[in-house]
Amino acid sequence: MKAIRIILQIAILYAFSLIGELVHNLLHLPVSGSIVGLILMLICLTFKIVPVKIVEDGASFLLSFLPLLFIPAMTGVMNYPALFSGNGLVLLLIVVLSTIVTMVAAGIASQLLEKNANKGKENDECNKHLSQS
Amino acid sequence: MQQASIAILIILLTVAVYIAMTKLYVRFSYPVLIPVLTTTVAIILLLLAFHVSYDQYMIGGKWINSLLGPAVVALAYPLYNQRKILVKYILPIIGGVFAGLFSGMISGLLFAEVFGIDRNLILSIVPKSITTPVAIQIATGIGGVPSMTVVFVMIAGFSGVILGPKIMKWVRIRSYLGKGIAFGSASHALGTSKAFEYGELTVSMSSVSMTLCAVLGSVFGPIVVWIFHV
């Protein structure tokens, strides 16, 4: 019974990603179909157009093995063996360095702004939220 | 008929390797043993050993790939659960995402310029921290090579997931909010999958950052390139 429910719920999520794809094609949006689908789903959940109940099990199930879903795309690296020698290594280094810069900038900026936001407000309430997760 | 059995075999193999690698990761939990990386390496080695091409692998692989769309939509669920916190911390989120987005694109351009990389490759590096389908669109728009962008997106994902925890420790990014925004802004969906190890708040922060980066990157990517290439 639970298996059927999960499959049906994934079908709903799939439908949203297809609708997102459709909207993307119709309006020539620069953002991909699945991201449009995510935003649509969030809007529908927020305004109770779609009750959380009819997607929560499917969503949790799908997200529980999210890394698996990247593997076929990742395996495509095998078509670029040159990347792991000579000039390729330089590109690799650039991307890794730039990723580190991105991470540090995003993390530090948001952490600083978070501290500002918490200042003066009830810190207890926020700590409660953090420790729950 | 034969196509179908090949597809099923490939799917089963991928899932089996993934489960084995997840067990390995749980057992030893070194950052380099992250299942996405070890499974990908193991599968590439298997394909090379048995002389199977990537196209042949994708006969089955495309079915797993097709679940990525609904999985991205599924990220709306943790976002919805955390909606009150998202609204409360809207400023840190937007500030962090903008900091990450611009520093990522500009540092990529500058490093590539310093190392004397070809112009079309430089342009392929710009959208590396943005989720693959959107990154491809941005790369095409600004004159990069989409297939190279796909590779750079993956490297940005892997390096963020593997080096992220150590680096955040060094620079003292301690809050779950900061970690989530760092993972999502630098390493897109792959970073978000890593964020699951830190709890739902980090996941939502990471997926909201990933989404914002995709939307904002589509708008600002071409502008950044235009400013730095006049």
Side-chain angles (χ1 to χ4, degrees), chain B residues 143-157:
Chain B
V145 188
S147 60
M148 285 315 288
T149 297
V150 174
V151 177
F152 297 145
V153 171
M154 286 173 202
I155 296 167

Side-chain angles (χ1 to χ4, degrees), chain B residues 110-182:
Chain B
L110 292 181
F111 289 149
E113 201 82 67
V114 168
F115 283 101
I117 304 295
D118 291 341
R119 187 168 185 275
N120 59 349
L121 275 178
I122 294 183
L123 295 174
S124 317
I125 291 177
V126 172
K128 66 173 187 331
S129 287
I130 295 166
T131 182
T132 312
V134 183
I136 292 173
Q137 288 166 358
I138 297 175
T140 316
I142 58 180
V145 188
S147 60
M148 285 315 288
T149 297
V150 174
V151 177
F152 297 145
V153 171
M154 286 173 202
I155 296 167
F158 278 138
S159 49
V161 166
I162 295 169
L163 305 172
K166 267 258 149 58
I167 286 163
M168 289 192 220
K169 212 174 190 176
W170 285 339
V171 299
R172 305 207 174 106
I173 299 168
R174 293 208 182 100
S175 79
Y176 288 107
L177 179 137
K179 282 181 180 163
I181 294 172

Side-chain angles (χ1 to χ4, degrees), chain A residues 9-30:
Chain A
Q9 296 196 352
I10 292 177
I12 296 172
L13 296 167
Y14 204 95
F16 266 79
S17 87
L18 290 180
I19 294 169
E21 204 64 53
L22 204 72
V23 173
H24 159 83
N25 287 335
L26 282 178
L27 303 180
H28 300 285
L29 295 177

Side-chain angles (χ1 to χ4, degrees), chain A residues 30 72-73 80 98 111 114 118, chain B residues 54 107 128 137 147 154 174-175:
Chain A
Y80 300 92
S98 174
Q111 193 169 269
E114 180 194 10
N118 281 340
Chain B
Y54 180 60
S107 67
K128 66 173 187 331
Q137 288 166 358
S147 60
M154 286 173 202
R174 293 208 182 100
S175 79

